[in-house]
Each structure stands twice: as C-alpha cells, then as structure tokens.
Amino acid sequence: MAVELDEIDVKLLTQLQQDADRTNLELAELVGLSPAATLHRVRRLKESGAIRIISAQVDAAAVGFPLTVFMAVTTGNARATERFEREVQLLPQVVAAETVAGEMDYWVTVVARDVEDLEHTLTRIATHGGGRVVTYLRLKQLKPPTPLPLLPSSTTRQRRRG
Amino acid sequence: MAVELDEIDVKLLTQLQQDADRTNLELAELVGLSPAATLHRVRRLKESGAIRIISAQVDAAAVGFPLTVFMAVTTGNARATERFEREVQLLPQVVAAETVAGEMDYWVTVVARDVEDLEHTLTRIATHGGGRVVTYLRLKQLKPPTPLPLLPSSTTRQRRRG
DNA sequence: GGTGAAAGAAAAGACTT
DNA sequence: AAGTCTTTTCTTTCACC
C-alpha cells in the first residue's frame, strides 16, 4: 500500500480503469475538479506507480485468435522449471504467465488461431519443462475486468466489505 | 476473425497494447503515416471492435490490494450455478471471471486487502454455489501481459509459428 | 493543492491526389 | 486510403490564492 489515495484519486482511478480514452477536460468534469488540477493528479498517479500503463484492450477473437486457453502447470525439478520459464518467455502465443502458490505452480494464458496452432503451443509447453498440465478452454467472460474496489486511505484504518 | 488487418494496423495495435498513452503525432511517427491517416485508422480499429477499450492498468498492490488469488471453481446443479454467477457479479473483490471448459467450470480472479478480507470473499463464494474450489495465490508475474502475436490478414491464408 | 487565463500543441474536418 | 492545410479544441504552463 505504497500510494495514499483520497476520494478524488479513487474516482480518477476508477474512471481511468473503465475508460482511459477521454480528454482531460471530460475527466475533470467527471471528478469535479479543474482541468489543471486533474492533470496534476493523473500525472502523480502515473509517477507514483499506481497507474502502471495505459493500454488498448484488443479483442483477441476479432483479430484472429478465437481460442484462448488457460493452463495450470507444475514443473518438477529446478532444471524443468528453468526450461519452462524460458519457453514461456519465447512463445508469442503465451500472452501472460503468473507464478502461483497452491496445487499448481504456474498460471499461463495462451491464444491460438485454430486448434492446430493451439496444439502446437501446448505441446511445446508440455515438452519444455511442463510436468502436470491442466488446460481450460475459455468459453466466455462471465465478469469482464472490473475496476478495483478502491477506498480512500483514511488515517484511521479503513475497512469495508461488499 | 471479423476484422481485416494490414501491416500498419498490426503495428498500431501492437503499439497501442504496449502503451496507449501517446499523442496521435507520436503514434503516426512510429507507424510511418501522417497524423490524419493515423487518426482515421485508430478510429476505425475502435469502431470495428478490434480495440475494445483503452484503460489504465492499476498496480493492485500499490493501491492497497497486496493479495491476488485465482480460483478454479465447479458448480454442481443449475441452482448452484445460478447462485454462484450472481455472487460473482455482486462481490466487488471479484475483479474478473471466465466460464471455461475443462476440469473446472469457472476461472475467477479475486483481490484482497489482507488475509481476513480474502477469507471473507472465498467463504462467500464457497457458500454461494461454489462446489469444488481450488485457490492459487498469485506470487509474481512471470510474463506480464504481452501484445497478441498479430499478423496482417493475407488473402492467401497466413500461417506462422513462434 | 487548488483556480483561472493565456500560449502552445494536437485533433478534427475539408479538400486534393 | 493517404497527404496537406485550416479550424477548433484540448493540453500545458504560469501567476496567484
């Protein structure tokens, strides 16, 4: 919790997570601040690292990747782990990967143009350090990415539940 | 594959996925086009649905959510499924959820301020339709979200592998 | 940290190729 | 579709509160 947020910061972050494709003027109006102050705030949020990047969310299916597969992966020994981590970085079809603690060791997101493409990527992973591999074919978004349930940093510890 | 892309579209989408916080002028220079043409292209990509939204990627840990947990969930009967889907929509700590085909039925992303907060959310899910629930605590990003490995839509079917 | 105004930059539109 | 030019609008900075 490195960054302190007041109510306006929370509003700004919530708005920007939903749609960052707005002019500073619109944003200022939305949060009830002057354009100049809004600009300052947003810059501060970027510099502080609260906002990592602004990026375009591309519809994978619309641009030729109708298949998205999530994979839970375990690796055996240190050698396999190393191979696996390298392979994940190299394969462009792997669009995200996380290290996790639990029943499995990694969570990997793969996109594919077709079943053949998919099979190729899964095989590569299975034969490059992947031990147990469980795959899940993404069917649909039940809840699309939602803004974080932010709260202002109160001096007296905040606590609220949804 | 609803949207046809040429080489410049691919460049634009790749750039915008990495950083959409640039002026149209900079973007135009990057892809080697005039500002007006670039503006047209980007608008077209938004209208066609290739670009879903432009959004701020917020660092959850930096703004008070040090814990991210992925959950694989199965629901039993139709009644449990309905309860579960409703709960997922209601809980603000659930920041994303997907329907998947495979060993489990859902993939859910949860953020939490602390272990207590997390326990609360996991219990809510487990007691609202969640059948078998497997949780994975996110440790670190192995491969941060990467642009899709886009290719221009050639008339003769394109095919390339990484 | 905020406001308001003025200068500079970028986006939007019309026209040409 | 793309380039250039002009108009309109937004962004940015600065002086002040």
Side-chain angles (χ1 to χ4, degrees), chain A residues 9-64:
Chain A
D9 292 324
V10 167
K11 278 191 195 175
L12 284 170
L13 287 175
T14 302
Q15 289 298 334
L16 290 173
Q17 282 176 275
Q18 290 173 307
D19 183 3
D21 198 12
R22 277 188 281 231
T23 66
N24 185 57
L25 248 57
E26 292 175 289
L27 197 58
E29 179 127 11
L30 277 168
V31 303
L33 224 60
S34 73
T38 304
L39 209 61
H40 257 139
R41 293 268 195 159
V42 173
R43 189 174 303 161
R44 222 188 114 272
L45 288 169
K46 286 173 187 165
E47 281 168 2
S48 71
I51 295 174
R52 224 197 275 273
I53 58 164
I54 309 283
S55 69
Q57 306 305 308
V58 171
D59 184 329
V63 296

Side-chain angles (χ1 to χ4, degrees), chain B residues 36-75:
Chain B
T38 304
L39 210 59
H40 262 140
R41 291 268 194 160
V42 173
R43 189 173 304 160
R44 220 188 115 270
L45 288 169
K46 286 173 187 166
E47 281 168 2
S48 70
I51 295 174
R52 225 197 276 272
I53 58 164
I54 308 285
S55 69
Q57 307 305 307
V58 171
D59 184 329
V63 297
F65 296 92
L67 304 175
T68 297
V69 165
F70 301 116
M71 298 170 66
V73 180
T74 60
T75 53

Side-chain angles (χ1 to χ4, degrees), chain A residues 15 17 32 60 65 67 87-89 93 98-99 133 159:
Chain A
Q15 289 298 334
Q17 282 176 275
F65 297 91
L67 304 175
E87 196 63 15
V88 157
Q89 299 294 348
Q93 292 91 342
E98 320 270 348
T99 306
V133 177
R159 201 119 315 249

